[in-house]
């Protein structure tokens, strides 16, 4: 059983690394950002609600995100563990997750805190914007998302640090190097 959270600023490589970690540990990868982008593309009621927040780089309100994520975690494939990418992003979300897992008996095993310099983050995000055409990867929106990260999500890192389950991982360098660092952090907790 592995219940893992990836936390880090936009552009830290959470999605890229999560795609590999989910395969090597055979656990479902749950990206709330992907869930929102799918809902927006599909024009679902939740997508319509979330669109303005996602496009501007603001956080979708906690009630919406928490409901969506806890519903996903109740699916049977999460019984063997999961990799959460992009959730929780606020202390309210972290508390909601904690209570849910406590009721089910258990908790989070490890929080991987991916760290990358701000200049490198902006460069990576602008590049991703050019390649993938993501609406929220423009310079002004990127700056806003980094501010939102500092204000809302950094405290979540402190929350898990106090719980003694946070591993700081250097997210700079090539993909294989970062992947090896993350795998080491996961395996050393076994
Ligand atoms: P991401 O792909 O993780 O960078 O997420 C893209 C966007 O989806 C964010 O900028 C938010 O607008 C929204 N989002 C994703 N996860 C969350 C979350 N846990 N809480 C609030 N908003 C979220």
């Amino acid at each position: 059983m592995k219940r893992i959270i990836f936390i880090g600023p936009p552009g830290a490589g959470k999605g890229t690394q999560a795609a590999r970690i989910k395969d090597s540990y055979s656990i479902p990868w749950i990206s709330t950002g992907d869930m929102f982008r799918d809902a927006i593309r599909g024009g679902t009621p939740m997508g319509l609600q979330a669109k303005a927040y996602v496009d501007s780089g603001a956080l979708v309100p906690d009630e919406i995100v928490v409901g969506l994520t806890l519903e996903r975690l109740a699916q049977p494939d999460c019984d063997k563990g999961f990799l959460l990418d992009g959730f929780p992003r606020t202390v309210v979300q972290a508390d909601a997750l904690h209570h849910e897992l406590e009721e089910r008996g258990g908790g989070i095993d490890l929080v991987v805190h991916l760290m990358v310099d701000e200049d490198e983050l902006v460069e990576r995000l602008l590049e991703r914007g050019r390649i993938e055409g993501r609406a929220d990867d423009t310079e002004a929106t990127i700056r806003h998302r980094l501010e939102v990260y500092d204000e809302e999500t950094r405290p979540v890192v402190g929350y898990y640090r106090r719980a003694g389950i946070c591993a700081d991982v250097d997210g700079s360098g090539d993909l294989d190097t970062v992947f090896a660092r993350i795998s080491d952090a996961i395996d050393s907790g076994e």
Side-chain angles (χ1 to χ4, degrees), residues 114-133:
L114 267 183
M115 302 177 305
V116 175
D117 278 354
E118 178 156 338
D119 287 347
E120 192 174 340
L121 290 174
V122 175
E123 218 169 276
R124 287 186 187 183
L125 290 166
L126 287 172
E127 177 72 13
R128 184 170 76 186
R130 278 191 288 272
I131 296 170
E132 295 179 16

Side-chain angles (χ1 to χ4, degrees), residues 61-118:
D62 287 329
E63 314 81 77
I64 299 177
V65 192
V66 167
L68 176 79
T69 310
L70 296 189
E71 216 171 273
R72 177 65 188 87
L73 292 178
Q75 300 294 311
D77 63 334
C78 294
D79 288 350
K80 56 178 190 275
F82 51 76
L83 170 53
L84 272 173
D85 158 17
F87 181 96
R89 263 177 157 96
T90 66
V91 171
V92 170
Q93 294 175 18
D95 273 332
L97 177 65
H98 175 74
H99 290 303
E100 172 73 15
L101 294 180
E102 210 172 33
E103 273 187 18
R104 293 198 214 170
I108 295 294
D109 297 301
L110 183 72
V111 175
V112 174
H113 174 217
L114 267 183
M115 302 177 305
V116 175
D117 278 354
E118 178 156 338

Side-chain angles (χ1 to χ4, degrees), residues 150-161:
D150 274 334
E151 280 166 27
E152 305 278 350
T153 308
R154 249 184 229 293
V156 181
V157 177
Y159 176 106
Y160 288 120
R161 202 182 294 293

Side-chain angles (χ1 to χ4, degrees), residues 10 14 31-34 36-37 50 53-55 57-62 65 69 85-90 93 128 134 136 145:
K14 299 186 294 296
S31 156
T32 44
D34 280 349
F36 286 126
R37 281 184 289 277
Y53 299 102
V54 174
D55 283 354
L59 292 185
V60 176
D62 287 329
V65 192
T69 310
D85 158 17
F87 181 96
R89 263 177 157 96
T90 66
Q93 294 175 18
R128 184 170 76 186
R134 254 178 71 163
D136 58 348
R145 285 159 64 212

